[in-house]
């Protein structure tokens, strides 16, 4: 489900980024005709929204914060991201200067932070290179606009769940009550 959500976000983000050059996107399957893991549907078989639904909804909001990037896998330990903002014309008066890009390791520790000025609304910021030695969460946010978009980047040749494998172990006691 995460891969589907990321793929649809990537496509809708690209459409929104190039809004003056592209006409739009049609997501062919609105819902699943039967339970299935491999499709572009936004709704589960039972009608509940999938994670992809929320990601696509964010990318078509009146104000969008997003990242352009080539891949979620960091070749040679570096990923280059280009933050952008797109706003519908009626939303431009709401744009403020408080956009922040923050990179976190998987324990939640902030390892890099960038303040980005968004005074003119539709904006492309300079490329930012991030070092990715372990899985990295990148959050692009504006508190004043109540917008937050998150991305995950992985080091090349890393196990996708390596950070989970490093968590401390625990003991689990399971017992059954007799009737």
């Amino acid at each position: 489900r995460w891969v589907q959500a990321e793929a649809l976000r990537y496509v809708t983000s690209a459409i929104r980024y190039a809004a003056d050059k592209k006409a739009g996107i049609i997501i062919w399957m609105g819902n699943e005709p039967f339970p299935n893991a491999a499709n572009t549907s936004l709704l589960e078989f039972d009608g509940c929204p999938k994670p992809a639904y929320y990601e696509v909804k964010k990318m078509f909001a009146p104000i969008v914060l997003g990242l352009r990037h080539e891949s979620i896998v960091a070749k040679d330990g570096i990923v280059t991201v280009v933050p952008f903002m797109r706003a519908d014309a009626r939303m431009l008066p709401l744009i403020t200067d408080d956009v922040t890009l923050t990179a976190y390791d998987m324990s939640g520790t902030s390892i890099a932070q960038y303040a980005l000025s968004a005074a003119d609304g539709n904006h492309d910021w300079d490329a930012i290179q991030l070092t990715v030695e372990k899985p990295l969460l990148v959050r692009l946010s504006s508190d004043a606009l109540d917008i937050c978009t998150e991305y995950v980047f992985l080091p090349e040749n890393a196990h996708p769940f390596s950070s989970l494998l490093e968590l401390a172990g625990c003991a689990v006691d399971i017992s059954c009550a007799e009737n």
Side-chain angles (χ1 to χ4, degrees):
R1 290 181 183 197
W2 177 81
V3 172
Q4 178 205 27
E6 181 60 25
L8 288 174
R9 174 180 54 189
Y10 187 86
V11 170
T12 54
S13 175
I15 295 295
R16 195 64 195 268
Y17 172 76
D20 58 334
K21 300 176 186 111
K22 304 237 183 327
I25 183 174
I26 296 173
I27 299 172
W28 189 253
M29 293 182 71
N31 65 328
E32 292 181 324
F34 55 90
N36 185 356
N39 61 41
T40 58
S41 69
L42 300 177
L43 301 175
E44 296 281 4
F45 177 70
D46 63 0
C48 294
K50 289 182 173 182
Y53 167 85
Y54 298 104
E55 294 303 327
V56 169
K57 182 179 176 181
K58 273 196 250 182
M59 287 299 120
F60 284 116
I63 300 175
V64 172
L65 290 176
L67 290 179
R68 288 189 310 142
H69 56 88
E70 292 295 320
S71 173
I72 63 169
V73 177
K75 307 253 187 230
D76 300 320
I78 300 290
V79 67
T80 301
V81 298
V82 180
F84 71 88
M85 174 184 282
R86 293 294 180 266
D88 295 347
R90 69 183 187 279
M91 302 304 285
L92 290 177
L94 301 176
I95 304 301
T96 63
D97 271 319
D98 77 328
V99 176
T100 304
L101 184 145
T102 309
Y104 299 91
D105 65 17
M106 287 297 131
S107 70
T109 303
S110 172
I111 56 176
Q113 189 167 37
Y114 302 87
L116 307 170
S117 174
D120 62 352
N122 291 330
H123 196 78
D124 299 333
W125 289 284
D126 293 334
I128 297 171
Q129 288 194 332
L130 300 170
T131 301
V132 183
E133 296 170 355
K134 292 186 175 188
L136 187 70
L137 172 75
V138 176
R139 178 176 290 147
L140 192 60
S141 61
S142 168
D143 291 338
L145 298 172
D146 194 27
I147 298 173
C148 177
T149 307
E150 295 177 332
Y151 296 81
V152 174
F153 295 97
L154 303 171
E156 193 171 24
N157 298 325
H159 186 281
F161 301 109
S162 59
S163 58
L164 294 176
L165 297 173
E166 295 171 7
L167 292 174
C170 66
V172 177
D173 181 23
I174 300 174
S175 60
C176 295
E178 293 186 29
N179 292 341

